[in-house]
Amino acid sequence: MSRGILFVLSGPSGVGKGTVCAALRRKLPELIYSVSATTRAPREGEQDGVNYFFKSRDQFRHMIETDALLEHAEYVGNYYGTPRDFVEKTLSEGKDIILEIEVQGALKVREKFAEGVFIFLMPPSLNELKQRIVGRGTESQATIDHRLSVAVEEMNLLHHYDYAVVNDEIELACNRIDSIITAEHCKRERFLGELFQQLEVANTADNI
Ligand code: 5GP
């Protein structure tokens, strides 16, 4: 059985990764979603083990020390990380898995899983990203300016990714990601190993 494919969906903060991923979950229920660990408090309606594994700082530190996380990063004062075992298990069962994580974590995963498929979610324009960050609500001008400069730096990381998907409309972005998944399954490399095996068996049978 061939291994599943690891997909990483990342991009600048404010681009809508969470919303696109939630829509993707509805559209592609057979795709496995990695549930991250975090030290941030649950928001209303969020469930432990469904949206995140909610951890204390000590519990999270223990996960780091025991190498239980594939990657982790600090984001706005909280820790976020990807539990390693679940990713490994899913891939070895031949199933695809998707991680929705911020850019620093995505770069760390890239170092360990060069064969993964890295998708960068883009805003339609920088101006649009600015509107989305400002539109989030009640933050001070200094915080908005900081978030914006971070978002611009994050946009510069696009060249580390395999694909860029513009998040102009959630449904369109989901369709593009669905197409990427299909295309990755059609890569010839995924067939070569199995084909060679079949040819060897055929040759051996001929020789008998
Ligand atoms: P939120 O607190 O809004 O759910 O997530 C904040 C940010 O953390 C988002 O950009 C999200 O993609 C990112 N994030 C969620 N889980 C992980 C994770 O396991 N690792 C990393 N590096 N980032 C994560």
Side-chain angles (χ1 to χ4, degrees):
M1 179 177 51
S2 61
R3 263 167 81 82
I5 304 178
L6 172 81
F7 293 93
V8 175
L9 180 64
S10 191
S13 89
V15 77
K17 297 187 289 293
T19 316
V20 168
C21 204
L24 210 56
R25 274 179 109 134
R26 289 191 292 273
K27 184 179 165 74
L28 303 175
E30 71 282 7
L31 185 61
I32 309 288
Y33 296 82
S34 162
V35 178
S36 298
T38 184
T39 58
R40 90 149 159 73
R43 294 185 188 130
E44 212 182 309
E46 284 185 335
Q47 283 176 291
D48 190 39
V50 176
N51 305 92
Y52 282 103
F53 295 107
F54 294 101
K55 302 285 178 193
S56 67
R57 287 193 162 241
D58 277 349
Q59 287 171 325
F60 199 93
R61 230 170 273 135
H62 181 71
M63 291 180 89
I64 298 173
E65 282 161 11
T66 54
D67 208 20
L69 298 174
L70 187 58
E71 60 74 37
H72 68 276
E74 194 179 350
Y75 179 83
V76 208
N78 286 303
Y79 289 106
Y80 294 82
T82 307
R84 178 195 300 279
D85 283 356
F86 185 71
V87 173
E88 298 281 5
K89 180 173 165 284
T90 305
L91 293 174
S92 64
E93 285 170 355
K95 297 177 195 152
D96 295 347
I97 188 164
I98 189 160
L99 276 48
E100 181 252 299
I101 59 179
E102 52 69 68
V103 287
Q104 297 307 324
L107 295 188
K108 288 183 209 158
V109 177
R110 175 120 244 188
E111 286 167 19
K112 293 175 188 166
F113 278 90
E115 76 280 17
V117 179
F118 292 76
I119 304 171
F120 192 79
L121 198 63
M122 308 246 306
S125 67
L126 266 184
N127 206 26
E128 174 74 28
L129 186 64
K130 186 174 174 181
Q131 296 309 321
R132 288 181 195 180
I133 290 173
V134 173
R136 269 184 175 180
T138 54
E139 284 153 341
S140 69
Q141 191 57 46
T143 311
I144 290 173
D145 289 347
H146 177 67
R147 280 187 192 269
L148 266 176
S149 66
V150 170
V152 169
E153 272 173 40
E154 289 175 338
M155 287 290 289
N156 276 321
L157 297 173
L158 170 64
H159 63 280
H160 291 283
Y161 290 76
D162 303 302
Y163 294 94
V165 166
V166 176
N167 184 20
D168 44 3
E169 268 182 52
I170 292 163
E171 200 186 332
L172 292 179
C174 284
N175 290 345
R176 292 173 188 129
I177 295 169
D178 192 8
S179 305
I180 291 169
I181 294 172
T182 305
E184 285 296 323
H185 275 277
C186 296
K187 284 245 169 100
R188 62 166 184 254
E189 292 81 2
R190 293 189 63 78
F191 295 89
L192 286 176
E194 202 180 317
L195 181 67
F196 281 137
Q197 249 177 7
Q198 286 176 19
L199 287 174
E200 252 173 51
V201 171
N203 282 341
T204 317
D206 280 352
N207 290 336
I208 291 172

